[in-house]
Amino acid sequence: MVYLIDPFSIYWKTFLLRPTEQIMLDFMTSLLFCFMISESSMHIGTWLNTKISWTHRPGARFATEAVLNVSAVLLINQVFGLICPYLFSAPDTADNNPLTLEAETRETMQWILVSMVLSLMIMGIHIGNYLVENWKNEAIRSAELSQVAMEAELQSLKLQIDPHFVFNNLSVLSELILEDQHVGYEYAENFSRIYRYLLVNAKKDMLTLDEELKFLEPYRFLIQQRFGEGVQFSIQIDPRYRSYNLPPLTLQLLVENALKHNQTNKKNPLQISIFTTDAGQLQVENSRLPLSKVIPSSGIGIKNINRRYKLLSKHTPHIYQDEHIYTVTLPLFKP
């Protein structure tokens, strides 16, 4: 590239006239120089990926990366400018006269210009590669997230058309209407709120914890009308985390999971606790009262929650269980 800028430079006339060891040393030095420029450019790009996002601040990112690359080139040139005089003798002209100050300055400027062009080319290749990889990963992530959202929607639809779910709730509703029309009306209202929430929010990636808790209220009402004192809830949420996000229907799936696999009776009620921790996580915990007849579980609900979390972040739910409790710790996402 230097040759293309100035093919008539005295440097090329004397290049092959020097001793072999000087030619090899020159070649190795140039190779080292190019290696340092390319490595510095790639390291700058990798470091900036953790500091300035191309997605949110593309202009600032480009300007910062360009300035840092030019600065790195000038620094590397300065270092080589101090080292090279000790390694090489100054080239001579055809008349064995040393290079004039003007010619030496011109060649130095040409060398710096070539270095900058090389650095910016490497930066362009690195940026292109990053953007293509990021686009590809986002496309894959979007496709997987759509698939998982579809599974969540199908789960909610399955709940809606599940004959046991519908039959149980309609049976409770008919009994309540006969006993107390006001409570029956309230039961029907909460039942419709649950369906409306499922239809509106099943396709969304995220909802606030506050919205999930509001949805849980009509769901709890139905549960308490069905099981009475056989199920007891304890909800303690730090207000500062109510605006945090989590995948929709997460609480409903975990409560449903607890009801499905445990007994509910007044003497020894099923305890379901929902609370936030000091670390900004949400814990859903239930006592273990295994059914006498074990119901086979597909684990679809828990698997769906895990997969959605894996697609949304690096943090995934943590499950702990022993003979007394079953606990799911859920990360919450800042708004």
Side-chain angles (χ1 to χ4, degrees), residues 304-334:
N304 184 275
I305 293 171
N306 278 323
R307 288 185 62 193
R308 283 191 287 168
Y309 265 97
K310 285 180 181 178
L311 291 172
L312 293 168
S313 75
K314 297 179 182 179
H315 305 290
T316 56
H318 175 72
I319 297 175
Y320 170 81
Q321 63 178 325
D322 57 28
E323 59 182 1
H324 302 295
I325 62 169
Y326 181 90
T327 304
V328 179
T329 303
L330 301 165
L332 293 174
F333 303 100
K334 290 184 178 180

Side-chain angles (χ1 to χ4, degrees), residues 196-214:
R196 186 163 54 250
Y197 184 89
L198 294 174
L199 290 171
V200 171
N201 297 304
K203 293 183 179 181
K204 295 181 180 179
D205 295 337
M206 289 281 202
L207 286 175
T208 64
L209 176 57
D210 190 57
E211 290 175 298
E212 279 283 277
L213 290 169
K214 287 179 180 177

